[in-house]
Amino acid sequence: MIELLHTVPLFSRLNMNQLESISGICTKKSFKTGTVLFHEKELGSVFYIVHSGSVKIYTAGSTGEEKILSLMKPRDSFGELSLIDGKPRSATARTLEDNVLISISGQDFITLLKTHFDISLGIMQELSTRLRESNQHVHDLTFLDARSRVIRSLITLANKNGIRTGSTITIKMTLNYDEVSQMAGVQKPILIQVIRELQEKQIITMPGHEMKLDLAKLRA
């Protein structure tokens, strides 16, 4: 557990004694694909760290249409907002595949923030990053056409969840077309049209359950 915690960005600055104290309040648990960890608008009581698998954070409109806010991969953490401000969850979290998650109770999490400035600073940096990403997303929806939004979303997905070898990034495809179109803010037929275009130019290939993005061909 200590070795795992040291790889989590929020805890990477802590010494061994601090990590040992945190490991004592952590719980490891497995979750099946499609498990809802918490719902939007419910009170928060747990902070999560992804050990393995992936989790999508999203909101839903009155008609049931989903909007994906972010994807969580191993070493990412989430669920802190509701614990910090005491307000209901701002989004829903659902596993995209079989997951192993580390959890810390809300009370223990707040105690961590009070006793470890490095963790509090890490939280502030993480929230700042998410705010910048949200501002960029608003900019994209306002000023970019549909094709550009799809390409930018695929690049963002690759940077966050892919493995790079030379100019090629390989992504394990855990999202379906509906979810990718939600991320890009476009209709599904437009997404399919753009992906087919990228496939014809061999910028994107999809062997098996993976997607490979060739950055060199994309730049060209």
Side-chain angles (χ1 to χ4, degrees), residues 155 158-159 164 166-169 203 213-220:
I155 292 174
N159 287 336
R164 182 165 180 168
S167 64
T168 300
I169 302 179
I203 294 173
L213 176 64
D214 191 320
L215 297 177
K217 291 181 179 178
L218 179 61
R219 295 189 189 100

Side-chain angles (χ1 to χ4, degrees), residues 41-152:
K41 296 183 180 180
E42 73 179 21
L43 292 178
S45 60
V46 182
F47 170 77
Y48 290 99
I49 300 168
V50 181
H51 180 279
S52 63
S54 56
V55 176
K56 72 172 180 178
I57 310 297
Y58 66 96
T59 60
S62 57
T63 60
E65 181 180 356
E66 296 179 359
K67 174 59 181 176
I68 296 178
L69 302 178
S70 57
L71 297 175
M72 298 297 165
K73 61 184 185 302
R75 299 188 299 171
D76 285 341
S77 54
F78 61 96
E80 73 284 344
L81 283 182
S82 184
L83 304 182
I84 293 173
D85 63 15
K87 296 180 179 179
R89 298 287 193 186
S90 59
T92 300
R94 176 182 292 158
T95 60
L96 288 172
E97 52 193 315
D98 289 350
N99 279 42
V100 176
L101 301 177
I102 307 298
S103 63
I104 300 176
S105 72
Q107 182 175 352
D108 287 337
F109 179 74
I110 294 301
T111 300
L112 280 180
L113 297 187
K114 291 179 179 179
T115 56
H116 297 292
F117 174 74
D118 285 339
I119 298 178
S120 298
L121 178 60
I123 289 286
M124 288 187 284
Q125 291 172 335
E126 176 66 19
L127 295 180
S128 296
T129 297
R130 294 180 190 177
L131 178 59
R132 290 178 186 275
E133 290 176 349
S134 296
N135 290 341
Q136 182 63 54
H137 187 64
V138 171
H139 176 277
D140 292 348
L141 292 177
T142 303
F143 297 105
L144 296 183
D145 59 27
R147 181 179 181 278
S148 298
R149 294 204 299 272
V150 169
I151 293 175
R152 182 183 286 275

